[in-house]
Amino acid sequence: MPGARARAASRTRGVRRWHLVAGALVLAAAAGASLFVGVTDLGPRDLVVGDDREAMVFLASRVPRLVAILLAGASMSVAGLIMQHLARNRFVAPSTAGTVESAMLGVVVATLLFTGASLVVKMAIAVAFALAGTAIFLALLRRITFRDVILVPLVGLMFGGVIRALTTFVAYRVDLLQTLSSWTTGDFSGVLRGRYELLWLAAVVAVIAYTYADRFTMAGMGRDLSVSLGLAYERTVNVGLAIVATVTGVTVVVVGAVPFLGLIVPNLVTMALGDNLRRALPLTALSGAAFVLACDVIGRTIRFPYEMPVGTVVGVVGSAIFLLLITRGRHRAR
Amino acid sequence: MERTSRTGALVTALTCCALLVAACGADETPQETAVGEDVDNPGEAADEAADPDPEDAVDADDAEVTVEHVQGETTVETEPEVVVTFDVGTLDTLDAMGVPVAGVPEVANVPAHLEEYAGGETSIVGSLFEPDPEEVNALDPDLIIVGGRSSEAFGELSELAPTVDLTVDNTDFLNSFGEQLGVLGEIFDREEWVEERLAVLDERVGEVSALADDAGDGLIVMTSGGEVTAYGPGSRFGLIHKDLGVAPAVEDVEEATHGDAVSFEFILEAEPDHLFVLDRDAAIGETGEAAEAVLDNELVAQTPAWENGDVHYLDEVVWYLVPTGLRSVETMVDEIDAALR
Amino acid sequence: MHGELDVARSSAAPARGAATTTRRQRRVLVTLGAAAVVAVVAFLLVDISGDWGFALALRGRKVAAMVLVAVAIAVSTVLFQTVTHNRILTPSIMGFDSLYVLLQSVGVYFLGAVALANAPPELRFAVEATMMVAFAVVLHRWLFGRHGRDLYVLVLAGIVFGTLFSSGTNLVSRLIDPNEYQTLQDRMFASFGSVDTRLLAFSAVVVGVAVAVAWASRRELDVVALGRHPATTLGIEHRRVVNRQLVLVAVLVAVSTALVGPITFFGLLVANLARQLLGTFRHHLALPAAALLGIVALVVGQLVLERVLGYTTALSIVVDLIGGTYFLALLLKEARR
């Protein structure tokens, strides 16, 4: 984050270009690494002169994994960004509003009631739960008159905690704690051709989010103002809600929960770019994708041939980066 | 300060009410809960209760035996009548021995053949890691058995009655299991029975090892939440490799026992001739159903195990929940035997 | 429920003269005291059968542990909220709990579960407390460093620390033997089932001293609650006071988690409820009220766990479920006015 505060206006544009270039470079490097890191020994040469098996591994395992990471990373970050705007609060993200926990409860319910059900059924249930949970949270927010910046996410954490307690309660009784923990730590090790395509749904939804970006920005100014500007406020909020819930539900079912993504990435981008959603959205998606990708490659190599779940790596690396940024104190929070 | 007298009266009234309610509650039969039947223990003198001395529990004409176990030595009367076990594996063994068990912990998933212990005659004495000393004490047990998850409660339970820790060492499963069985045999004066069963078991293990010699190699995996973890010879399922002689498909699987997350590429590259699968999602429903859905993909399909139909779904309850029971171990050996034939 | 809910207000009401206590406040305190007594008595006597002496001794130990933990958590939360000038932050939200769990898992990794359980509690406690205090000091640098007054950054940092610690725990737990992992998992759930008597006496002394220190500085704290600048003008060495209180918080959190393990929302719940019931921030009221509320909540929670649910779940789950729901309901009810 270079530049002095005094040149904030010009800096913003400079930072943005610098960011995009750096982000794109990191992304490209990490994507290349991702394609050639794995248990099967597979280098770029093998793609040209490889046999059927190597081609199969590449197409059935490596490429899907890369795509899944990019989709999940980008869409989760975008979901967090939208949520920040809708709740008019930087701390509100799927992980601090009970959305992730609700999706988790949905997964547990699905596992219990439809043990052999296909992924799509589980996902639908998870999305439904995430939707319901987020809607309840936003309803709570509407009912609560005070809007202390810190209070809102803490109500969210509280709400999420209640849902999590309920989930744990159920899982505890039917001895599903271990299964539950595999959903709570995001992990791309199970991604294969035919197993991640549902994530495209999250990507589509994120693109829809882009078309709505300006409306979300407006909605973020508050209800009265946006209505007076002629915005269909309720509908906009509902669309945002559906986007966030779908993205969360889908990623939790396919990958599991990745900590932080929806909270930290949008916050860092917003710190650099300010509050315009349309401008921040592409960079948020890019940074989220690059970050998760880098962490997943680390997770794959750190204990080769075994995998370290990406959720854990993101937790450690993300916290470290974030704390570093704060201590360097080169930004203004407001 | 004249206000406080009124509130003071209120407090007194409330406290009296509470005492009354509590007293009534104590007289009535306990509520119907998941705790099951409450064992009433009338006529027991209550004075020595605060810190019961194990010696008192032993009648003079009872023989005693001192056994060694994981956490030291304990002197127990032989053929103790009232037995409490916090280790479900031991429960299975005692059930096979025909020894009555007075108290067991609350367990989420009891194997079918042990369901009779989940309520009815048997007291529930807390959970696996949180014993309910009152219930235990109410039974006035002659012997308490802990193991595995419950071994942390050893110190606390030792104060109530002679306690032995029968944790089985996973890194040397069969020998360790045999030792623990020996301890039980000593205590219940069933050494011959134990020896017989162990001899039969050893023979079976020999047979299976012979089969394993030319059955190729194997990989143990567990599926949970759509993901796969692998287990090596040093793991809790290591007896497949170490005792039953199935060669590990991956040479350098660490002794890391926790189960490591692996990708399907890992399974593909390991090229196992046999795949032993534990399904952790089958809490309810058919074992293997969920696991099969996870493993049924084009990478695993290329392994010899999948091509030859040598993917074996192991009984989750036996291998995962009650791995240290005598019948469980026998079942495990049988399952591997059937798998390798 | 009387009193105005004004959670958003994050500075104390200006002190009006001496430490006055209104009739209503006194009534609230007395009622809470009575409720605590009732809860404790009920816990001691409900469903008692067979061996009275044994049962009472055992339940007495449990209740003593619960009272200690309730007081420790309540007091530490109130202090923490005072020095951070924020009614929503709790030590556990700022990552203290996750730090404890991380320390536990690292301990299990290096020593093994049984060895850890049998280690001298004083030593274990000393190590845990030291780490917690160190963490508190680091946090403090956040509080009063360059970006000291930026709450936004502070809370984010707290959540980040929490995630960092729990991810670290996750990392370590993958390297632990599965059986040990299970005992570790059991430890992640707070439990009063097996409280070490030695540890109990030791904790009682520590909590007693810490609470006494906090009580002695209650007026100072009232002034600190006004904010840094006013406090300094009124002749309080703001920084020194805050430092001392943070050390207290760390010690109290260490005691409570060492005794029973982490309970997430508990502190937030009792500290805020206490202030709401009393309609004041004054520490001579808030501290005892929070502590009494804590006792009621924990004892009733454990009672439900033991007698209604029959140990089929863990206390923290019960407390989070009931407490969290109650808190949310309360917010809604107040908002409807």
Side-chain angles (χ1 to χ4, degrees), chain B residues 130-181:
Chain B
E130 199 172 0
D132 183 347
E134 270 182 68
E135 291 289 341
V136 175
N137 191 59
L139 294 171
D140 194 15
D142 303 317
L143 170 70
I144 302 174
I145 299 163
V146 295
R149 267 175 95 176
S150 52
S151 57
E152 254 195 280
F154 178 81
E156 182 190 354
L157 291 166
S158 294
E159 291 173 13
L160 303 179
T163 305
V164 294
D165 180 351
L166 298 185
T167 303
V168 174
D169 179 2
N170 282 321
T171 53
D172 188 12
F173 187 87
L174 269 193
N175 284 331
S176 175
F177 168 76
E179 275 170 33
Q180 311 303 19
L181 205 58

Short mmCIF file of all heavy atoms in Angstrom, two decimals, chain B residues 130-181:
data_model
loop_
_atom_site.label_atom_id
_atom_site.label_comp_id
_atom_site.label_asym_id
_atom_site.label_seq_id
_atom_site.Cartn_x
_atom_site.Cartn_y
_atom_site.Cartn_z
N GLU B 130 -17.07 -37.45 30.56
CA GLU B 130 -17.56 -36.74 31.73
C GLU B 130 -18.35 -37.71 32.61
O GLU B 130 -19.56 -37.80 32.53
CB GLU B 130 -18.46 -35.57 31.30
CG GLU B 130 -18.63 -34.55 32.38
CD GLU B 130 -19.37 -33.31 31.90
OE1 GLU B 130 -19.75 -33.24 30.72
OE2 GLU B 130 -19.56 -32.41 32.72
N PRO B 131 -17.63 -38.47 33.43
CA PRO B 131 -18.31 -39.44 34.28
C PRO B 131 -19.23 -38.73 35.27
O PRO B 131 -18.97 -37.59 35.65
CB PRO B 131 -17.17 -40.13 35.03
CG PRO B 131 -15.92 -39.67 34.41
CD PRO B 131 -16.20 -38.41 33.68
N ASP B 132 -20.30 -39.39 35.64
CA ASP B 132 -21.17 -38.85 36.67
C ASP B 132 -20.87 -39.61 37.96
O ASP B 132 -21.39 -40.69 38.19
CB ASP B 132 -22.63 -39.06 36.25
CG ASP B 132 -23.58 -38.45 37.26
OD1 ASP B 132 -23.14 -38.09 38.36
OD2 ASP B 132 -24.78 -38.33 36.93
N PRO B 133 -19.98 -39.04 38.79
CA PRO B 133 -19.52 -39.77 39.97
C PRO B 133 -20.67 -40.21 40.88
O PRO B 133 -20.58 -41.23 41.53
CB PRO B 133 -18.61 -38.76 40.69
CG PRO B 133 -18.24 -37.77 39.66
CD PRO B 133 -19.40 -37.70 38.73
N GLU B 134 -21.74 -39.42 40.89
CA GLU B 134 -22.86 -39.80 41.75
C GLU B 134 -23.47 -41.12 41.33
O GLU B 134 -23.74 -41.98 42.16
CB GLU B 134 -23.95 -38.72 41.67
CG GLU B 134 -23.77 -37.64 42.70
CD GLU B 134 -24.90 -36.63 42.60
OE1 GLU B 134 -26.03 -36.98 42.91
OE2 GLU B 134 -24.61 -35.51 42.18
N GLU B 135 -23.70 -41.22 40.02
CA GLU B 135 -24.28 -42.46 39.52
C GLU B 135 -23.33 -43.62 39.77
O GLU B 135 -23.75 -44.70 40.18
CB GLU B 135 -24.55 -42.34 38.01
CG GLU B 135 -25.66 -41.38 37.64
CD GLU B 135 -27.06 -41.91 38.01
OE1 GLU B 135 -27.19 -43.14 38.21
OE2 GLU B 135 -27.98 -41.10 38.12
N VAL B 136 -22.04 -43.35 39.52
CA VAL B 136 -21.05 -44.41 39.74
C VAL B 136 -21.07 -44.82 41.21
O VAL B 136 -21.14 -46.01 41.55
CB VAL B 136 -19.64 -43.93 39.34
CG1 VAL B 136 -18.60 -44.98 39.70
CG2 VAL B 136 -19.58 -43.60 37.86
N ASN B 137 -21.04 -43.83 42.07
CA ASN B 137 -20.98 -44.12 43.49
C ASN B 137 -22.25 -44.82 43.98
O ASN B 137 -22.21 -45.67 44.86
CB ASN B 137 -20.77 -42.82 44.27
CG ASN B 137 -20.44 -43.07 45.72
OD1 ASN B 137 -19.46 -43.73 46.02
ND2 ASN B 137 -21.27 -42.56 46.62
N ALA B 138 -23.37 -44.44 43.38
CA ALA B 138 -24.65 -45.05 43.80
C ALA B 138 -24.64 -46.55 43.53
O ALA B 138 -25.28 -47.32 44.23
CB ALA B 138 -25.81 -44.38 43.05
N LEU B 139 -23.88 -46.94 42.51
CA LEU B 139 -23.81 -48.37 42.20
C LEU B 139 -22.88 -49.11 43.16
O LEU B 139 -22.93 -50.32 43.25
CB LEU B 139 -23.29 -48.56 40.77
CG LEU B 139 -24.19 -48.07 39.63
CD1 LEU B 139 -23.44 -48.14 38.32
CD2 LEU B 139 -25.45 -48.92 39.57
N ASP B 140 -22.03 -48.35 43.84
CA ASP B 140 -21.01 -48.94 44.71
C ASP B 140 -20.23 -50.03 44.00
O ASP B 140 -20.26 -51.19 44.40
CB ASP B 140 -21.69 -49.50 45.98
CG ASP B 140 -20.63 -49.80 47.03
OD1 ASP B 140 -19.50 -49.31 46.89
OD2 ASP B 140 -20.93 -50.54 47.98
N PRO B 141 -19.54 -49.66 42.92
CA PRO B 141 -18.91 -50.69 42.08
C PRO B 141 -17.70 -51.33 42.74
O PRO B 141 -17.04 -50.73 43.60
CB PRO B 141 -18.48 -49.89 40.84
CG PRO B 141 -18.29 -48.51 41.34
CD PRO B 141 -19.27 -48.30 42.45
N ASP B 142 -17.43 -52.56 42.33
CA ASP B 142 -16.22 -53.25 42.80
C ASP B 142 -15.08 -52.99 41.82
O ASP B 142 -13.92 -53.19 42.16
CB ASP B 142 -16.49 -54.75 42.88
CG ASP B 142 -17.67 -55.04 43.80
OD1 ASP B 142 -17.74 -54.42 44.87
OD2 ASP B 142 -18.53 -55.85 43.41
N LEU B 143 -15.42 -52.58 40.62
CA LEU B 143 -14.40 -52.35 39.61
C LEU B 143 -14.90 -51.32 38.60
O LEU B 143 -16.05 -51.37 38.17
CB LEU B 143 -14.08 -53.67 38.88
CG LEU B 143 -13.20 -53.55 37.63
CD1 LEU B 143 -11.78 -53.17 37.98
CD2 LEU B 143 -13.21 -54.85 36.84
N ILE B 144 -14.01 -50.39 38.23
CA ILE B 144 -14.32 -49.44 37.18
C ILE B 144 -13.27 -49.60 36.08
O ILE B 144 -12.08 -49.73 36.38
CB ILE B 144 -14.29 -47.98 37.69
CG1 ILE B 144 -15.28 -47.80 38.85
CG2 ILE B 144 -14.62 -47.01 36.56
CD1 ILE B 144 -15.20 -46.44 39.51
N ILE B 145 -13.73 -49.62 34.84
CA ILE B 145 -12.79 -49.77 33.73
C ILE B 145 -12.85 -48.52 32.84
O ILE B 145 -13.93 -48.09 32.46
CB ILE B 145 -13.12 -51.02 32.89
CG1 ILE B 145 -13.00 -52.26 33.76
CG2 ILE B 145 -12.19 -51.12 31.68
CD1 ILE B 145 -13.67 -53.47 33.19
N VAL B 146 -11.68 -47.94 32.55
CA VAL B 146 -11.62 -46.84 31.60
C VAL B 146 -10.70 -47.26 30.46
O VAL B 146 -9.93 -48.21 30.59
CB VAL B 146 -11.10 -45.52 32.22
CG1 VAL B 146 -12.05 -45.00 33.26
CG2 VAL B 146 -9.70 -45.71 32.79
N GLY B 147 -10.76 -46.52 29.37
CA GLY B 147 -9.88 -46.82 28.24
C GLY B 147 -10.12 -45.83 27.13
O GLY B 147 -11.22 -45.31 26.99
N GLY B 148 -9.07 -45.55 26.35
CA GLY B 148 -9.22 -44.63 25.23
C GLY B 148 -9.66 -43.27 25.70
O GLY B 148 -8.98 -42.63 26.50
N ARG B 149 -10.79 -42.84 25.17
CA ARG B 149 -11.25 -41.49 25.46
C ARG B 149 -11.48 -41.23 26.93
O ARG B 149 -11.36 -40.11 27.40
CB ARG B 149 -12.56 -41.25 24.73
CG ARG B 149 -12.39 -40.63 23.40
CD ARG B 149 -13.71 -40.55 22.72
NE ARG B 149 -14.34 -39.26 22.91
CZ ARG B 149 -15.47 -38.90 22.34
NH1 ARG B 149 -16.09 -39.75 21.58
NH2 ARG B 149 -15.98 -37.72 22.53
N SER B 150 -11.88 -42.28 27.65
CA SER B 150 -12.25 -42.05 29.04
C SER B 150 -11.06 -42.16 29.99
O SER B 150 -11.20 -42.00 31.19
CB SER B 150 -13.34 -43.04 29.46
OG SER B 150 -12.94 -44.35 29.16
N SER B 151 -9.85 -42.43 29.44
CA SER B 151 -8.72 -42.69 30.33
C SER B 151 -8.33 -41.46 31.16
O SER B 151 -7.69 -41.57 32.19
CB SER B 151 -7.52 -43.19 29.54
OG SER B 151 -7.17 -42.27 28.54
N GLU B 152 -8.73 -40.28 30.68
CA GLU B 152 -8.40 -39.07 31.44
C GLU B 152 -9.10 -39.04 32.79
O GLU B 152 -8.66 -38.36 33.71
CB GLU B 152 -8.79 -37.83 30.64
CG GLU B 152 -7.59 -37.13 30.08
CD GLU B 152 -7.91 -35.72 29.61
OE1 GLU B 152 -8.45 -35.59 28.50
OE2 GLU B 152 -7.63 -34.79 30.36
N ALA B 153 -10.22 -39.74 32.90
CA ALA B 153 -10.99 -39.71 34.14
C ALA B 153 -10.45 -40.69 35.17
O ALA B 153 -11.02 -40.85 36.25
CB ALA B 153 -12.46 -40.02 33.84
N PHE B 154 -9.33 -41.34 34.83
CA PHE B 154 -8.80 -42.38 35.70
C PHE B 154 -8.62 -41.90 37.15
O PHE B 154 -9.06 -42.53 38.10
CB PHE B 154 -7.47 -42.88 35.14
CG PHE B 154 -6.80 -43.92 36.00
CD1 PHE B 154 -7.21 -45.24 35.93
CD2 PHE B 154 -5.79 -43.56 36.89
CE1 PHE B 154 -6.60 -46.20 36.72
CE2 PHE B 154 -5.19 -44.52 37.69
CZ PHE B 154 -5.60 -45.84 37.61
N GLY B 155 -7.95 -40.76 37.29
CA GLY B 155 -7.65 -40.26 38.63
C GLY B 155 -8.90 -40.04 39.46
O GLY B 155 -8.99 -40.46 40.62
N GLU B 156 -9.87 -39.43 38.82
CA GLU B 156 -11.10 -39.09 39.50
C GLU B 156 -11.87 -40.35 39.92
O GLU B 156 -12.40 -40.44 41.03
CB GLU B 156 -11.93 -38.26 38.52
CG GLU B 156 -13.22 -37.77 39.03
CD GLU B 156 -14.04 -37.17 37.89
OE1 GLU B 156 -13.51 -37.06 36.75
OE2 GLU B 156 -15.18 -36.82 38.15
N LEU B 157 -11.90 -41.32 39.03
CA LEU B 157 -12.67 -42.53 39.31
C LEU B 157 -11.96 -43.44 40.31
O LEU B 157 -12.60 -44.18 41.05
CB LEU B 157 -12.95 -43.29 38.01
CG LEU B 157 -13.92 -42.57 37.06
CD1 LEU B 157 -13.89 -43.19 35.68
CD2 LEU B 157 -15.34 -42.58 37.62
N SER B 158 -10.62 -43.35 40.32
CA SER B 158 -9.86 -44.18 41.26
C SER B 158 -10.25 -43.91 42.70
O SER B 158 -10.11 -44.77 43.57
CB SER B 158 -8.36 -43.92 41.11
OG SER B 158 -7.93 -44.34 39.86
N GLU B 159 -10.75 -42.70 42.94
CA GLU B 159 -11.12 -42.35 44.31
C GLU B 159 -12.42 -43.04 44.72
O GLU B 159 -12.75 -43.11 45.90
CB GLU B 159 -11.28 -40.84 44.43
CG GLU B 159 -9.95 -40.10 44.32
CD GLU B 159 -10.14 -38.60 44.26
OE1 GLU B 159 -11.25 -38.13 44.55
OE2 GLU B 159 -9.16 -37.91 43.93
N LEU B 160 -13.17 -43.51 43.75
CA LEU B 160 -14.47 -44.12 44.06
C LEU B 160 -14.36 -45.63 44.23
O LEU B 160 -15.04 -46.22 45.07
CB LEU B 160 -15.47 -43.82 42.93
CG LEU B 160 -15.70 -42.35 42.59
CD1 LEU B 160 -16.68 -42.22 41.44
CD2 LEU B 160 -16.22 -41.59 43.80
N ALA B 161 -13.54 -46.24 43.42
CA ALA B 161 -13.43 -47.70 43.46
C ALA B 161 -12.17 -48.08 42.70
O ALA B 161 -11.62 -47.27 41.97
CB ALA B 161 -14.65 -48.32 42.79
N PRO B 162 -11.71 -49.33 42.86
CA PRO B 162 -10.54 -49.75 42.10
C PRO B 162 -10.80 -49.57 40.61
O PRO B 162 -11.82 -50.01 40.10
CB PRO B 162 -10.41 -51.24 42.44
CG PRO B 162 -11.13 -51.41 43.73
CD PRO B 162 -12.20 -50.37 43.76
N THR B 163 -9.86 -48.88 39.94
CA THR B 163 -10.06 -48.55 38.53
C THR B 163 -8.87 -49.06 37.72
O THR B 163 -7.73 -48.95 38.16
CB THR B 163 -10.17 -47.02 38.37
OG1 THR B 163 -11.21 -46.54 39.22
CG2 THR B 163 -10.47 -46.63 36.94
N VAL B 164 -9.16 -49.63 36.55
CA VAL B 164 -8.07 -50.02 35.67
C VAL B 164 -8.25 -49.33 34.32
O VAL B 164 -9.37 -49.10 33.87
CB VAL B 164 -7.99 -51.55 35.46
CG1 VAL B 164 -7.61 -52.25 36.73
CG2 VAL B 164 -9.29 -52.10 34.92
N ASP B 165 -7.11 -49.01 33.70
CA ASP B 165 -7.12 -48.36 32.40
C ASP B 165 -6.72 -49.38 31.34
O ASP B 165 -5.60 -49.85 31.32
CB ASP B 165 -6.13 -47.18 32.42
CG ASP B 165 -6.10 -46.44 31.09
OD1 ASP B 165 -6.69 -46.93 30.12
OD2 ASP B 165 -5.48 -45.37 31.03
N LEU B 166 -7.66 -49.72 30.48
CA LEU B 166 -7.38 -50.75 29.48
C LEU B 166 -7.22 -50.17 28.07
O LEU B 166 -7.64 -50.76 27.10
CB LEU B 166 -8.49 -51.80 29.47
CG LEU B 166 -8.65 -52.57 30.78
CD1 LEU B 166 -9.70 -53.66 30.63
CD2 LEU B 166 -7.34 -53.20 31.22
N THR B 167 -6.59 -48.99 27.99
CA THR B 167 -6.35 -48.39 26.68
C THR B 167 -5.47 -49.30 25.83
O THR B 167 -4.43 -49.77 26.30
CB THR B 167 -5.66 -47.03 26.84
OG1 THR B 167 -6.49 -46.21 27.65
CG2 THR B 167 -5.46 -46.36 25.49
N VAL B 168 -5.90 -49.53 24.61
CA VAL B 168 -5.11 -50.37 23.71
C VAL B 168 -4.18 -49.49 22.89
O VAL B 168 -4.59 -48.46 22.37
CB VAL B 168 -6.04 -51.18 22.78
CG1 VAL B 168 -5.23 -51.95 21.75
CG2 VAL B 168 -6.90 -52.14 23.58
N ASP B 169 -2.92 -49.93 22.80
CA ASP B 169 -1.92 -49.17 22.05
C ASP B 169 -2.06 -49.46 20.56
O ASP B 169 -1.82 -50.59 20.12
CB ASP B 169 -0.53 -49.58 22.56
CG ASP B 169 0.57 -48.86 21.82
OD1 ASP B 169 0.25 -48.02 20.96
OD2 ASP B 169 1.75 -49.13 22.11
N ASN B 170 -2.46 -48.47 19.79
CA ASN B 170 -2.72 -48.69 18.37
C ASN B 170 -1.48 -49.09 17.58
O ASN B 170 -1.58 -49.73 16.55
CB ASN B 170 -3.29 -47.42 17.73
CG ASN B 170 -4.75 -47.27 18.06
OD1 ASN B 170 -5.49 -48.24 18.08
ND2 ASN B 170 -5.17 -46.04 18.32
N THR B 171 -0.32 -48.66 18.07
CA THR B 171 0.88 -48.93 17.29
C THR B 171 1.27 -50.41 17.37
O THR B 171 2.07 -50.89 16.59
CB THR B 171 2.06 -48.07 17.77
OG1 THR B 171 2.19 -48.26 19.18
CG2 THR B 171 1.80 -46.60 17.49
N ASP B 172 0.71 -51.11 18.36
CA ASP B 172 1.00 -52.54 18.49
C ASP B 172 -0.30 -53.21 18.87
O ASP B 172 -0.44 -53.80 19.93
CB ASP B 172 2.07 -52.74 19.57
CG ASP B 172 2.55 -54.18 19.61
OD1 ASP B 172 2.21 -54.93 18.68
OD2 ASP B 172 3.22 -54.55 20.59
N PHE B 173 -1.26 -53.11 17.96
CA PHE B 173 -2.65 -53.35 18.34
C PHE B 173 -2.90 -54.72 18.95
O PHE B 173 -3.37 -54.84 20.08
CB PHE B 173 -3.55 -53.14 17.12
CG PHE B 173 -5.00 -53.21 17.45
CD1 PHE B 173 -5.68 -52.09 17.90
CD2 PHE B 173 -5.70 -54.41 17.35
CE1 PHE B 173 -7.02 -52.15 18.23
CE2 PHE B 173 -7.04 -54.48 17.69
CZ PHE B 173 -7.70 -53.36 18.13
N LEU B 174 -2.57 -55.79 18.21
CA LEU B 174 -2.99 -57.11 18.68
C LEU B 174 -2.34 -57.51 19.99
O LEU B 174 -3.00 -58.03 20.88
CB LEU B 174 -2.69 -58.16 17.61
CG LEU B 174 -3.83 -58.43 16.62
CD1 LEU B 174 -3.52 -59.69 15.83
CD2 LEU B 174 -5.17 -58.59 17.33
N ASN B 175 -1.02 -57.24 20.12
CA ASN B 175 -0.35 -57.59 21.37
C ASN B 175 -0.95 -56.84 22.53
O ASN B 175 -1.25 -57.40 23.59
CB ASN B 175 1.14 -57.27 21.28
CG ASN B 175 1.86 -58.30 20.45
OD1 ASN B 175 1.43 -59.44 20.38
ND2 ASN B 175 2.92 -57.88 19.78
N SER B 176 -1.14 -55.54 22.30
CA SER B 176 -1.69 -54.71 23.36
C SER B 176 -3.10 -55.16 23.72
O SER B 176 -3.47 -55.26 24.88
CB SER B 176 -1.69 -53.26 22.88
OG SER B 176 -2.31 -52.44 23.82
N PHE B 177 -3.88 -55.48 22.69
CA PHE B 177 -5.23 -55.96 22.92
C PHE B 177 -5.21 -57.25 23.72
O PHE B 177 -5.98 -57.43 24.68
CB PHE B 177 -5.93 -56.16 21.56
CG PHE B 177 -7.22 -56.92 21.65
CD1 PHE B 177 -8.36 -56.29 22.12
CD2 PHE B 177 -7.29 -58.25 21.27
CE1 PHE B 177 -9.55 -57.00 22.23
CE2 PHE B 177 -8.47 -58.95 21.37
CZ PHE B 177 -9.61 -58.33 21.84
N GLY B 178 -4.29 -58.13 23.36
CA GLY B 178 -4.16 -59.39 24.09
C GLY B 178 -3.84 -59.15 25.55
O GLY B 178 -4.39 -59.81 26.45
N GLU B 179 -2.94 -58.21 25.80
CA GLU B 179 -2.58 -57.89 27.19
C GLU B 179 -3.79 -57.42 27.98
O GLU B 179 -4.02 -57.86 29.11
CB GLU B 179 -1.51 -56.79 27.22
CG GLU B 179 -0.10 -57.30 27.07
CD GLU B 179 0.88 -56.15 26.87
OE1 GLU B 179 0.64 -55.07 27.43
OE2 GLU B 179 1.87 -56.35 26.13
N GLN B 180 -4.56 -56.52 27.39
CA GLN B 180 -5.73 -55.98 28.10
C GLN B 180 -6.74 -57.09 28.36
O GLN B 180 -7.37 -57.14 29.41
CB GLN B 180 -6.40 -54.85 27.31
CG GLN B 180 -5.47 -53.78 26.80
CD GLN B 180 -4.65 -53.11 27.88
OE1 GLN B 180 -4.50 -53.64 28.98
NE2 GLN B 180 -4.10 -51.96 27.58
N LEU B 181 -6.87 -57.98 27.40
CA LEU B 181 -7.78 -59.10 27.56
C LEU B 181 -7.29 -59.99 28.70
O LEU B 181 -8.08 -60.49 29.52
CB LEU B 181 -7.84 -59.89 26.25
CG LEU B 181 -9.10 -60.70 26.00
CD1 LEU B 181 -10.32 -59.80 26.02
CD2 LEU B 181 -9.03 -61.41 24.65
#
